[in-house]
Amino acid sequence: MTGRRVRRGAFALLATTVLVAAGGGGSYPSPAFAQAAVRTYDFDIPQKPVREALNDIVRVTGIDVVFGETPNASRAGQPVRGTMTAQQAVATLLSGTGLTHRFSGPRSVSVSDRDSAAHALPDPDGATALSPIVVKGGRTPSDIPYETAGSVSHISAEQIDRVPPTSVGDIFKSAPGVIASGNRVGASVDVNIRGLQGQNRVNLMVDGTRQSSHSYRGYRGSRNEVFVDPDFLGGVDIAKGPSAGAGGVGAMGGVVNMRTLEGGDLLKPGDDWALRVKGGLGGNSIAPPASALGFGFNPITFPRDASSDIFNGDAFSGSMVGAVAGEDYELLTGFSRRKSGNYFAGSNGHSTYSGKALSPIKPGKEVFNTSQDMESFLGKGSVQWGDGHSLSLSYIYYANEYGNIDENFLPYISGPTSYYRLAQNDLSRTQTHTAKAGYAYQFAHDNLLALNANVWLTDVATKGGIVNFYSGGTTSGGRKLTEVESAIRTLGGDLSTDWEFETGIGMLTMTNGVELVYETAKENGELGISGSYVGANPNGNRVLASAFNQSKLEINEWLSLMGGLRLDYFDNQGAHVALHDFDYASASRVNPSVGVTLQPFDGVQLFASYAQGWRPFSLRETGVSTGFTPNPHLKPETSSNMEFGFNVRQDDVLRAGDALRLKVTYFDNSYGGFIGRERYVTPEGFWLYRWDNIADARFRGYETSASYDAEVFFVEAAFTYYTDVSFCRDKEANLITLVIPAGCGFEKLPFDYGMMNVPPKYSGSLTVGTRLFDQKLTLGARVYAFGERVGGYSHYTGSHTQAPGYHANRILDLFGSYKVDEDASLDFSVENVGDEYYLDPLSTGLVPSPGRTFRASFTKRF
């Protein structure tokens, strides 16, 4: 242990030295994700009058600008070149012009003389007022994926609100390549990106902070869980594959940032305060019954039938969010309450697959353990001072008492005489606290553009839910029951500096930074009769650290080259008391990335990229946990990702004012040393599970996202198709009595949970809508479609991890919105119009999705 402390102490000193030497920081992900997550843009604006340059910034960013007609508006501004945020671009432009600016939100800015009254025009009533010029941006965050040379996606607040989610994971239906796994088993969300999920392969963040929470699900594997209130979401940004910037350490599958509301989401240009009040009702819901353990020694609980009531009062939501802004500050605060009972499965469609029931929960019946009772609080504030300094603070509180489905035992329920039975369990309780502070400084130097720094803390505590079963102690039916109590606290921070250099062959922009994450996990596990740790979740500490560089060289207006390097490091220390001594691991690796972008025509972009990634061990893979023995020879996973694609962003295509957007990408992702669960025999003759590496796992396919908006009507589409999914061994393996020869195929991982993470052959969504009566009424429909699982549903003897079978399906949702006036709207939706009985793709348990569900809400802005 002394050596371990010395190594961790030496690394802490090294990390501190790197932080100081870097001289800057911030949340600045890879070239693709940076634009999506922190909204940076590429500028090349020469010195020109401020009025003209502001129009150029608007065309690039889509922000709204209000400024007075003054002599200074015709003065020449500073050149704006390089990759930066809209705020940085405006500050750079106005430096030394005698003009000042104030952002009332991330997308609204007012520009005026430092002494506005000196240039004011007389008002007929004797007062004075500026003659305003309003520049409205035509670009939105939804445009960013279609201008980014890489696989990024954006989910807007409008898309989230059209069909409010029953489960938080429903919001990802409009994002290609992304599926919420096990979407109906609890209140959390666990994301699968291009076949990768679990064990921290995907970093799912809230406002740039990671929760790192997880839960063990027995034979169904484990979940990486994030808890968030969808009423507070202002948008979701997704980067697929290794990320070269902050947020990417240890997450080779991708980075998802769920952005909560900001002042700009509420404030109108020129306003200094706003209030949004929202309330809604939902159907297909019933308050959960009294709890009862679903085992042979307990009484049977019978699921209820769906009611004919559209709204019965068992599902409602309400929120209030307010924002105020001054010349140099902004504050936002909000409170939300959401409650829903158990939902009912649909009544129509297939109820069997290959002669077996899709689920023990029958069509039209109540789905136990799907209720939620959630409340959350959001507070944010920012202040600006001096020449480019800003400080931001935020805090999020989330609490939920909810049903938590133990999908581990659903496959063993065979009827009312079965030992395992359907039952309403005790509700789980989760509380999260998230705090974040950020500092930014926009430099006026020629080369150094900006410095950004963030530090954050998340704390997640869960009690109840999945019941542990193991031998020993006081038992009923030979099984002991214990309530899980787990907690995980994660502290993180990042620093980065943005630079710009004029070279002999083009403009070079780069970001240099560092990132550090420290997580501590605890659970009420105990020792089993064999002396090994018995518990649902790991105990221990984990350090993730990274230093990164990402650069872009713009050789000319149609050719750009990208490159990046990141040095990743991890240090895991398990806290298990066991007969084994392998509870520590650490390693490091350098991961490069390169890319090229061609723009042969305005609005048309071709791109190609190659990136390497790395996934350190999770705490679960380092220490001992239920049913596992550690593997001292285990190695971290690596990835090699290739992409080829093109973007199209064109306006005024078929008619004046319309907008066409298209992104098509081919991806070829290979994961070396893929870690899976293996079953083997010890030298003493006992069989155990342990983690082990196989040679390779590969996912290949195509992704497409597109939209066309002609104001009167709009169309949005997302589609993913896999051409190849394979798992490969480089040598023969002897697992118990099962001999697995070298080669590729799904049978190469017969005992691994990852077999349930294989995505469907195809999936996607199509949304069509129309805006009527001067756009006061919006009506639309969304079809969510998916095929069967790639490779089928083969079951291997002794694996206990057969993927739940689901049919290819098409689910139709309807939505609408009516603007009562400029500040009030009535929204309504019908989810699963056909009342289909179906399982979601990537269902980890035999849990049917909600049947036909009506919702209505009213929103008033002041």
Side-chain angles (χ1 to χ4, degrees), residues 83-270:
T83 301
M84 62 186 81
T85 65
Q87 291 89 336
Q88 293 167 343
V90 174
T92 301
L93 170 68
L94 301 182
S95 177
T97 63
L99 292 166
T100 186
H101 70 285
R102 179 179 69 82
F103 272 86
S104 59
R107 307 199 63 78
S108 301
V109 62
S110 59
V111 178
S112 61
D113 281 333
R114 295 190 183 277
D115 183 8
S116 300
H119 304 284
L121 299 177
D123 186 86
D125 297 328
T128 60
L130 291 174
S131 174
I133 299 174
V134 180
V135 184
K136 300 293 286 186
R139 186 178 187 269
T140 67
S142 298
D143 283 337
I144 293 174
Y146 303 104
E147 298 176 348
T148 300
S151 291
V152 300
S153 299
H154 176 78
I155 304 171
S156 67
E158 179 184 2
Q159 290 173 312
I160 295 172
D161 292 341
R162 284 172 184 166
V163 183
T166 299
S167 303
V168 178
D170 291 340
I171 67 177
F172 293 99
K173 289 181 177 179
S174 60
V178 183
I179 298 177
S181 175
N183 193 30
R184 311 297 175 185
V185 301
S188 64
V189 59
D190 183 17
V191 169
N192 179 297
I193 296 182
R194 293 178 175 173
L196 283 194
Q197 71 177 74
Q199 310 294 2
N200 305 118
R201 292 184 176 102
V202 174
N203 181 16
L204 185 57
M205 304 188 295
V206 179
D207 284 341
T209 70
R210 63 173 79 193
Q211 294 183 1
S212 300
S213 183
H214 39 66
S215 67
Y216 178 62
R217 321 295 290 196
Y219 295 134
R220 305 292 101 182
S222 61
R223 288 174 62 82
N224 280 135
E225 299 189 303
V226 172
F227 298 86
V228 66
D229 185 346
D231 265 3
F232 281 159
L233 290 182
V236 180
D237 299 302
I238 304 166
K240 303 157 195 174
S243 178
V249 61
M252 67 180 186
V255 181
V256 180
N257 188 45
M258 308 173 76
R259 180 183 66 84
T260 60
L261 293 171
E262 300 169 345
D265 297 311
L266 275 70
L267 293 165
K268 297 179 181 179

Side-chain angles (χ1 to χ4, degrees), residues 577-661:
V577 179
L579 297 178
H580 311 278
D581 58 4
F582 176 68
D583 58 355
Y584 172 80
S586 69
S588 62
R589 190 176 193 270
V590 175
N591 300 293
S593 61
V594 294
V596 60
T597 303
L598 301 174
Q599 189 165 323
F601 312 104
D602 287 341
V604 177
Q605 185 183 69
L606 310 177
F607 60 86
S609 66
Y610 172 79
Q612 291 186 4
W614 189 59
R615 184 186 71 83
F617 303 148
S618 65
L619 283 173
R620 182 179 302 282
E621 292 163 324
T622 302
V624 185
S625 59
T626 302
F628 277 85
T629 187
N631 181 359
H633 306 293
L634 192 67
K635 298 178 181 179
E637 295 173 341
T638 61
S639 70
S640 298
N641 292 37
M642 290 191 295
E643 291 185 355
F644 306 92
F646 65 88
N647 292 318
V648 176
R649 182 179 183 267
Q650 297 289 334
D651 297 328
D652 304 324
V653 178
L654 300 179
R655 52 180 293 180
D658 68 1
L660 172 66
R661 308 290 184 260

Side-chain angles (χ1 to χ4, degrees), residues 696-848:
D696 182 65
R698 175 160 288 181
F699 295 79
R700 296 190 183 105
Y702 295 89
E703 283 181 2
T704 300
S705 56
S707 70
Y708 177 76
D709 196 323
E711 294 185 352
V712 175
F713 70 94
F714 60 90
V715 180
E716 299 171 0
F719 184 74
T720 305
Y721 181 83
Y722 289 89
T723 59
D724 179 39
V725 174
S726 60
F727 299 89
C728 302
R729 289 182 179 271
D730 57 356
K731 58 185 178 180
E732 182 178 276
N734 189 352
L735 307 179
I736 310 295
T737 58
L738 178 63
V739 177
I740 306 176
C744 298
F746 287 99
E747 72 279 5
K748 304 306 177 183
L749 276 177
F751 304 116
D752 185 44
Y753 309 125
M755 293 298 93
M756 286 180 295
N757 303 336
V758 175
K761 183 72 173 178
Y762 67 85
S763 62
S765 64
L766 176 66
T767 301
V768 296
T770 182
R771 304 182 183 99
L772 306 172
F773 308 117
D774 294 328
Q775 301 192 21
K776 295 188 68 173
L777 176 64
T778 300
L779 297 174
R782 179 184 70 185
V783 176
Y784 178 56
F786 51 88
E788 295 183 354
R789 176 183 184 269
V790 176
Y793 303 97
S794 298
H795 179 66
Y796 303 101
T797 303
S799 68
H800 300 292
T801 55
Q802 182 180 13
Y806 51 85
H807 293 277
N809 220 320
R810 294 179 295 275
I811 307 303
L812 174 64
D813 306 320
L814 301 178
F815 60 88
S817 177
Y818 178 72
K819 294 183 179 179
V820 179
D821 55 40
E822 186 179 355
D823 297 310
S825 64
L826 175 65
D827 301 282
F828 45 91
S829 65
V830 186
E831 177 187 354
N832 191 0
V833 174
D835 200 29
E836 294 289 329
Y837 178 81
Y838 73 101
L839 266 64
D840 284 315
L842 292 185
S843 292
T844 54
L846 309 181
V847 186

